[in-house]
Amino acid sequence: MLRLRLFDDVISGFGDDCKVGPAELEAVLTPGGKGNNAFSMADDHGQDTPLSIEISVKPMIRRSGAFDVRRGLFSGKRSADVDLTASPIHAVKKAKDVTGITPKSNERLTNGIISAVETLDIGNDMIADGSSKYSLPTISGKHSDLTAISPEVMADVIRGCFSDVIGDVTIVDCRYPYEFEGGHIRGAVNLYTKDEVNSLLQKPVADGKRHVLIFHCEFSSERGPKMYRFLRAQDRMLNSDRYPRLNFPEVYLLHGGYKAFFNKYQDLCDPISYTPMLHENHAADLRHFRVKSKSWTGEDGNQKTSRRHRSRLCRHLSL
């Protein structure tokens, strides 16, 4: 049917002067037909031009299936030394050899991490590196991911009741300076920015000496927990190649913050006073230190402060 349509198109292209019918043209174009080399047309120069056309028949290319198509499409993205028939285990071993990690060293590293994780999963009484149990009695606080102590235990720490098991202790007060100056726990240090908290990790830690950190803010609901988590994240990053080792594996959060402690142990505060964060006489200080606490000088060394807080601070200073 397709061949007949082709003949009709060819004849119509010659116009009305064409003296060749469809049957004759088919006989000419059909290989081995009776019209081959027997029928000719005169050209403009009076020479006969054979109408038979030799059509070379090309062998059909056999397709081996969709796999060949995919292999052709992605052959440029696969390295030459990849064996598609190799087992997954063989491929993993080959990748380790290329990266320089021997199977034995990788196995020891993996087993060490698994052992550490299993140790930490035994119970919540293990400190963050799994080396020992917590030194201080803990309670269930508002933050399930953080280890908390009560104001009573905090008072015992200050009085030296745990000096036989704790080598050193640092009480980190994350409130703003005007709050700290208005009354703080005896012996506490005021670290309210991430830069200041991060500086704790830059100090050398004596091996075998248990150094305990206790974080708190006014209520231990936002600023204290935030700095606790930040220090732990930085500590993990600093010791990423020695997991689960930490500079400060034993860290606590004072439940209820400074307010709860001050209500029971005013004699252990210096001075014996309590300045709330939202004190009406420190509205300007609050705006200033809140902006400063949100800035973070990370590894790039560039201070990152939100544009909104900078504009608010400039507007306040212009008043």
Side-chain angles (χ1 to χ4, degrees):
M1 189 69 180
L2 179 61
R3 188 168 54 184
L4 293 178
R5 290 181 57 189
L6 176 61
F7 297 155
D8 292 340
D9 293 339
V10 172
I11 295 172
S12 62
F14 289 134
D16 297 335
D17 297 333
C18 180
K19 305 300 183 195
V20 182
E24 296 171 335
L25 184 59
E26 179 180 6
V28 172
L29 294 181
T30 301
K34 61 182 181 178
N36 272 346
N37 300 322
F39 187 84
S40 63
M41 287 182 63
D43 58 12
D44 294 337
H45 301 284
Q47 297 177 353
D48 291 337
T49 302
L51 291 179
S52 61
I53 302 174
E54 291 189 11
I55 302 176
S56 60
V57 181
K58 295 183 179 180
M60 294 182 63
I61 300 175
R62 178 178 172 272
R63 302 296 182 184
S64 59
F67 176 77
D68 292 335
V69 176
R70 290 195 297 269
R71 184 172 58 185
L73 290 175
F74 299 103
S75 59
K77 297 182 180 180
R78 184 180 293 119
S79 59
D81 58 2
V82 175
D83 185 3
L84 296 177
T85 62
S87 64
I89 298 177
H90 176 75
V92 171
K93 289 182 178 179
K94 193 168 188 178
K96 291 177 181 178
D97 294 339
V98 172
T99 56
I101 302 176
T102 62
K104 290 185 178 180
S105 61
N106 184 75
E107 183 179 358
R108 287 195 299 267
L109 178 62
T110 303
N111 291 338
I113 294 177
I114 293 176
S115 177
V117 172
E118 290 176 348
T119 302
L120 295 175
D121 286 341
I122 292 176
N124 295 328
D125 57 342
M126 302 296 293
I127 62 178
D129 64 354
S131 60
S132 61
K133 295 184 177 182
Y134 280 100
S135 306
L136 306 179
T138 62
I139 62 174
S140 299
K142 296 180 179 179
H143 304 271
S144 59
D145 61 318
L146 306 179
T147 305
I149 61 173
S150 64
E152 291 76 13
V153 173
M154 180 81 261
D156 290 339
V157 171
I158 298 174
R159 294 172 180 148
C161 299
F162 297 95
S163 57
D164 57 331
V165 293
I166 297 178
D168 196 5
V169 59
T170 300
I171 304 172
V172 183
D173 190 331
C174 301
R175 297 178 300 159
Y176 299 139
Y178 67 90
E179 299 174 82
F180 182 82
E181 294 170 1
H184 57 268
I185 298 174
R186 185 184 303 168
V189 295
N190 187 208
L191 305 177
Y192 69 98
T193 67
K194 290 182 177 179
D195 286 318
E196 293 173 336
V197 172
N198 191 52
S199 66
L200 291 172
L201 297 173
Q202 312 307 319
K203 299 178 180 179
V205 179
D207 294 335
K209 185 178 182 180
R210 180 167 294 193
H211 191 154
V212 172
L213 300 181
I214 304 176
F215 283 83
H216 79 86
C217 54
E218 184 175 3
F219 307 107
S220 287
S221 60
E222 182 177 352
R223 291 174 290 176
K226 179 180 179 180
M227 291 302 180
Y228 183 145
R229 295 186 182 100
F230 172 76
L231 179 106
R232 177 54 51 77
Q234 293 295 109
D235 204 349
R236 286 291 186 199
M237 185 182 302
L238 182 65
N239 295 281
S240 59
D241 58 336
R242 296 175 290 180
Y243 182 89
R245 185 187 183 281
L246 292 167
N247 287 16
F248 298 102
E250 190 167 358
V251 184
Y252 301 91
L253 179 71
L254 174 60
H255 182 69
Y258 181 76
K259 181 179 181 181
F261 185 83
F262 179 80
N263 289 338
K264 293 184 176 182
Y265 304 101
Q266 296 184 10
D267 59 314
L268 297 178
C269 298
D270 185 23
I272 304 177
S273 179
Y274 168 37
T275 302
M277 182 186 73
L278 299 178
H279 196 286
E280 58 182 3
N281 294 337
H282 294 278
D285 293 330
L286 172 61
R287 289 191 291 269
H288 171 73
F289 290 115
R290 178 173 287 173
V291 171
K292 192 172 181 180
S293 67
K294 292 182 180 298
S295 64
W296 161 232
T297 307
E299 295 181 356
D300 56 359
N302 297 323
Q303 191 179 49
K304 299 178 181 178
T305 307
S306 67
R307 183 181 302 175
R308 181 170 59 88
H309 282 93
R310 287 200 303 268
S311 62
R312 288 176 57 187
L313 176 60
C314 293
R315 185 167 60 253
H316 167 71
L317 295 177
S318 63
L319 296 178

